[in-house]
Amino acid sequence: MRLVLLGPPGAGKGTQAQILVKAYDIPQLSTGDMLRAAIAAKTPLGLEAKAIVDRGDLVSDDIVSGIISERMDQPDCAKGFILDGFPRTIAQAEALTHMLDRKGLHLDAVIEIKADPDVLVERIINRAKESGGARADDNEDVLRKRLDVYTQQTAPLVNFYAERGLLKSVDGMAAIEEVTAAIKAAIDKS
Ligand code: ADP
Protein backbone atom coordinates (compact mmCIF):
# COMPACT_ATOMS: atom_id res chain seq x y z
CA MET A 1 0.00 0.00 0.00
CA ARG A 2 1.32 3.43 -0.96
CA LEU A 3 0.04 6.37 1.04
CA VAL A 4 0.71 10.08 1.32
CA LEU A 5 0.00 11.94 4.57
CA LEU A 6 -0.80 15.59 3.98
CA GLY A 7 -1.35 18.25 6.62
CA PRO A 8 0.13 21.35 8.25
CA PRO A 9 3.07 21.22 10.71
CA GLY A 10 1.91 19.77 14.01
CA ALA A 11 -1.24 18.13 12.57
CA GLY A 12 0.01 14.72 13.69
CA LYS A 13 1.40 13.25 10.46
CA GLY A 14 4.44 11.79 12.21
CA THR A 15 2.37 10.32 15.08
CA GLN A 16 -0.12 8.71 12.71
CA ALA A 17 2.64 7.52 10.36
CA GLN A 18 4.30 5.60 13.21
CA ILE A 19 1.02 3.89 14.10
CA LEU A 20 0.33 3.01 10.46
CA VAL A 21 3.87 1.61 10.06
CA LYS A 22 3.02 -1.02 12.67
CA ALA A 23 -0.54 -1.64 11.47
CA TYR A 24 0.39 -2.18 7.81
CA ASP A 25 4.04 -3.25 8.15
CA ILE A 26 5.34 -0.68 5.65
CA PRO A 27 7.99 2.01 6.31
CA GLN A 28 7.46 5.72 6.91
CA LEU A 29 9.42 7.90 4.48
CA SER A 30 9.75 11.29 6.17
CA THR A 31 11.68 13.92 4.23
CA GLY A 32 11.88 15.99 7.44
CA ASP A 33 13.59 13.09 9.28
CA MET A 34 15.89 12.42 6.32
CA LEU A 35 16.92 16.07 6.14
CA ARG A 36 17.48 16.27 9.92
CA ALA A 37 19.65 13.11 9.75
CA ALA A 38 21.70 14.63 6.90
CA ILE A 39 22.08 17.88 8.87
CA ALA A 40 23.20 16.02 12.02
CA ALA A 41 25.70 13.94 10.00
CA LYS A 42 26.95 17.12 8.25
CA THR A 43 26.77 15.48 4.82
CA PRO A 44 27.05 17.84 1.80
CA LEU A 45 23.25 17.72 1.49
CA GLY A 46 22.89 18.45 5.23
CA LEU A 47 25.24 21.40 5.07
CA GLU A 48 23.27 22.81 2.15
CA ALA A 49 19.87 22.20 3.76
CA LYS A 50 20.56 23.41 7.33
CA ALA A 51 19.96 27.16 6.94
CA ILE A 52 16.86 26.55 4.79
CA VAL A 53 15.26 24.10 7.24
CA ASP A 54 16.16 26.27 10.26
CA ARG A 55 14.33 29.27 8.84
CA GLY A 56 11.24 27.23 7.86
CA ASP A 57 11.66 27.43 4.08
CA LEU A 58 11.50 24.49 1.70
CA VAL A 59 14.62 22.85 0.30
CA SER A 60 14.63 22.43 -3.46
CA ASP A 61 12.12 20.17 -5.15
CA ASP A 62 14.90 18.35 -7.03
CA ILE A 63 16.80 17.48 -3.83
CA VAL A 64 13.84 16.03 -1.94
CA SER A 65 12.47 14.26 -5.03
CA GLY A 66 15.89 12.66 -5.52
CA ILE A 67 16.20 11.42 -1.93
CA ILE A 68 12.66 10.02 -1.95
CA SER A 69 13.13 8.26 -5.29
CA GLU A 70 16.32 6.56 -4.04
CA ARG A 71 14.70 5.61 -0.74
CA MET A 72 11.76 3.97 -2.53
CA ASP A 73 14.15 1.60 -4.28
CA GLN A 74 15.24 0.05 -0.96
CA PRO A 75 13.96 -3.51 -0.40
CA ASP A 76 11.83 -2.56 2.64
CA CYS A 77 9.63 -0.43 0.35
CA ALA A 78 8.65 -3.38 -1.86
CA LYS A 79 5.26 -3.78 -0.14
CA GLY A 80 4.61 -0.05 0.03
CA PHE A 81 5.35 3.03 2.14
CA ILE A 82 3.87 6.02 3.89
CA LEU A 83 5.09 9.36 2.59
CA ASP A 84 5.22 11.95 5.38
CA GLY A 85 6.22 15.50 4.42
CA PHE A 86 6.53 14.75 0.71
CA PRO A 87 5.17 15.99 -1.66
CA ARG A 88 5.00 19.55 -0.33
CA THR A 89 4.64 21.48 -3.60
CA ILE A 90 2.78 20.89 -6.87
CA ALA A 91 6.16 20.39 -8.57
CA GLN A 92 6.99 17.63 -6.05
CA ALA A 93 3.56 16.02 -6.58
CA GLU A 94 4.22 15.96 -10.32
CA ALA A 95 7.72 14.56 -9.74
CA LEU A 96 6.15 11.87 -7.53
CA THR A 97 3.65 10.90 -10.23
CA HIS A 98 6.48 10.56 -12.75
CA MET A 99 8.77 8.59 -10.44
CA LEU A 100 5.97 6.16 -9.56
CA ASP A 101 5.08 5.78 -13.26
CA ARG A 102 8.70 4.97 -14.06
CA LYS A 103 8.76 2.36 -11.30
CA GLY A 104 5.39 0.92 -12.43
CA LEU A 105 3.71 1.92 -9.13
CA HIS A 106 0.76 4.07 -8.09
CA LEU A 107 -0.62 5.75 -4.95
CA ASP A 108 -3.55 4.10 -3.16
CA ALA A 109 -4.65 7.14 -1.16
CA VAL A 110 -3.68 10.62 0.01
CA ILE A 111 -4.81 11.27 3.58
CA GLU A 112 -5.32 14.91 4.50
CA ILE A 113 -5.13 15.50 8.27
CA LYS A 114 -7.10 18.71 8.76
CA ALA A 115 -6.15 20.99 11.64
CA ASP A 116 -6.85 24.40 13.09
CA PRO A 117 -3.77 26.67 12.78
CA ASP A 118 -4.20 28.26 16.23
CA VAL A 119 -4.14 24.87 17.94
CA LEU A 120 -1.07 23.91 15.93
CA VAL A 121 0.97 26.82 17.23
CA GLU A 122 0.20 25.70 20.79
CA ARG A 123 0.95 22.03 20.06
CA ILE A 124 4.33 22.76 18.54
CA ILE A 125 5.37 25.19 21.26
CA ASN A 126 4.57 22.37 23.75
CA ARG A 127 6.48 19.82 21.63
CA ALA A 128 9.48 22.17 21.71
CA LYS A 129 9.32 22.45 25.50
CA GLU A 130 8.96 18.68 25.98
CA SER A 131 11.82 17.83 23.64
CA GLY A 132 14.13 20.42 25.22
CA GLY A 133 14.55 22.29 21.93
CA ALA A 134 15.60 19.25 19.89
CA ARG A 135 14.32 20.89 16.71
CA ALA A 136 15.77 24.28 15.82
CA ASP A 137 12.68 25.00 13.67
CA ASP A 138 10.17 24.47 16.53
CA ASN A 139 9.96 28.05 17.75
CA GLU A 140 7.05 30.39 17.27
CA ASP A 141 8.47 32.64 14.52
CA VAL A 142 9.74 29.76 12.41
CA LEU A 143 6.52 27.86 13.02
CA ARG A 144 4.42 30.74 11.70
CA LYS A 145 6.68 30.78 8.65
CA ARG A 146 6.18 27.00 8.19
CA LEU A 147 2.40 27.46 8.45
CA ASP A 148 2.52 30.22 5.79
CA VAL A 149 4.63 28.03 3.55
CA TYR A 150 2.09 25.23 4.04
CA THR A 151 -0.86 27.46 3.11
CA GLN A 152 0.86 28.86 0.05
CA GLN A 153 2.76 25.89 -1.35
CA THR A 154 1.33 22.67 0.12
CA ALA A 155 -2.41 23.31 0.63
CA PRO A 156 -2.95 23.39 -3.19
CA LEU A 157 -2.14 19.65 -3.14
CA VAL A 158 -5.54 19.04 -1.52
CA ASN A 159 -7.28 19.99 -4.80
CA PHE A 160 -4.58 18.35 -6.88
CA TYR A 161 -5.30 14.97 -5.28
CA ALA A 162 -9.07 15.51 -4.98
CA GLU A 163 -9.18 15.98 -8.77
CA ARG A 164 -7.35 12.69 -9.16
CA GLY A 165 -9.82 10.87 -6.91
CA LEU A 166 -7.19 10.02 -4.29
CA LEU A 167 -8.01 12.44 -1.46
CA LYS A 168 -9.42 11.30 1.90
CA SER A 169 -9.77 13.96 4.61
CA VAL A 170 -9.83 13.26 8.34
CA ASP A 171 -10.25 15.57 11.35
CA GLY A 172 -6.82 15.97 12.96
CA MET A 173 -8.28 17.73 16.00
CA ALA A 174 -9.84 14.48 17.29
CA ALA A 175 -8.02 12.17 19.77
CA ILE A 176 -5.04 10.23 18.36
CA GLU A 177 -6.93 6.89 18.30
CA GLU A 178 -9.93 8.48 16.61
CA VAL A 179 -7.73 9.97 13.91
CA THR A 180 -6.13 6.54 13.38
CA ALA A 181 -9.56 4.90 13.14
CA ALA A 182 -10.71 7.48 10.58
CA ILE A 183 -7.56 6.95 8.50
CA LYS A 184 -7.96 3.17 8.55
CA ALA A 185 -11.62 3.47 7.56
CA ALA A 186 -10.66 5.75 4.67
CA ILE A 187 -7.91 3.37 3.52
CA ASP A 188 -10.21 0.35 3.64
CA LYS A 189 -12.63 2.14 1.34
CA SER A 190 -9.91 3.11 -1.17
P1 ADP B 1 6.66 19.59 9.91
O1 ADP B 1 6.64 19.38 11.39
O2 ADP B 1 6.62 21.04 9.53
O3 ADP B 1 5.66 18.75 9.19
P2 ADP B 1 8.94 18.15 8.69
O4 ADP B 1 9.69 17.37 9.70
O5 ADP B 1 8.10 17.40 7.71
O6 ADP B 1 8.11 19.24 9.46
O7 ADP B 1 9.95 19.07 7.87
C1 ADP B 1 10.82 20.00 8.50
C2 ADP B 1 11.49 20.90 7.45
O8 ADP B 1 12.23 20.10 6.50
C3 ADP B 1 10.54 21.73 6.59
O9 ADP B 1 10.15 22.93 7.22
C4 ADP B 1 11.42 22.00 5.35
O10 ADP B 1 12.40 22.97 5.58
C5 ADP B 1 12.15 20.66 5.18
N1 ADP B 1 11.39 19.73 4.31
C6 ADP B 1 10.80 18.57 4.71
N2 ADP B 1 10.19 17.97 3.68
C7 ADP B 1 10.37 18.77 2.60
C8 ADP B 1 9.95 18.74 1.25
N3 ADP B 1 9.20 17.72 0.79
N4 ADP B 1 10.33 19.74 0.43
C9 ADP B 1 11.07 20.74 0.86
N5 ADP B 1 11.50 20.87 2.13
C10 ADP B 1 11.15 19.90 3.00
Side-chain angles (χ1 to χ4, degrees), residues 23-94:
Y24 296 100
D25 195 26
I26 48 176
Q28 168 194 16
L29 309 191
S30 159
T31 41
D33 287 350
M34 291 175 196
L35 291 169
R36 281 187 288 278
I39 291 169
K42 297 195 165 67
T43 65
L45 163 65
L47 294 173
E48 192 184 329
K50 182 173 173 19
I52 302 169
V53 171
D54 282 355
R55 66 171 185 262
D57 277 324
L58 297 182
V59 307
S60 89
D61 292 329
D62 288 345
I63 289 181
V64 287
S65 301
I67 54 179
I68 280 290
S69 178
E70 274 182 24
R71 180 67 187 82
M72 276 179 192
D73 294 336
Q74 300 296 311
D76 63 331
C77 291
K79 284 201 313 183
F81 45 74
I82 301 160
L83 290 173
D84 163 12
F86 178 91
R88 243 180 168 89
T89 64
I90 294 282
Q92 290 178 21
E94 282 167 348

Side-chain angles (χ1 to χ4, degrees), residues 62-137:
D62 288 345
I63 289 181
V64 287
S65 301
I67 54 179
I68 280 290
S69 178
E70 274 182 24
R71 180 67 187 82
M72 276 179 192
D73 294 336
Q74 300 296 311
D76 63 331
C77 291
K79 284 201 313 183
F81 45 74
I82 301 160
L83 290 173
D84 163 12
F86 178 91
R88 243 180 168 89
T89 64
I90 294 282
Q92 290 178 21
E94 282 167 348
L96 174 61
T97 306
H98 293 137
M99 78 180 74
L100 290 173
D101 277 351
R102 277 198 307 273
K103 298 178 201 287
L105 305 172
H106 66 270
L107 289 178
D108 295 291
V110 175
I111 312 284
E112 181 203 7
I113 306 184
K114 286 170 142 336
D116 169 356
D118 292 334
V119 179
L120 298 176
V121 176
E122 240 171 82
R123 273 195 192 177
I124 296 198
I125 302 301
N126 284 335
R127 174 166 88 187
K129 281 185 200 143
E130 281 160 22
S131 69
R135 274 182 63 168
D137 61 345

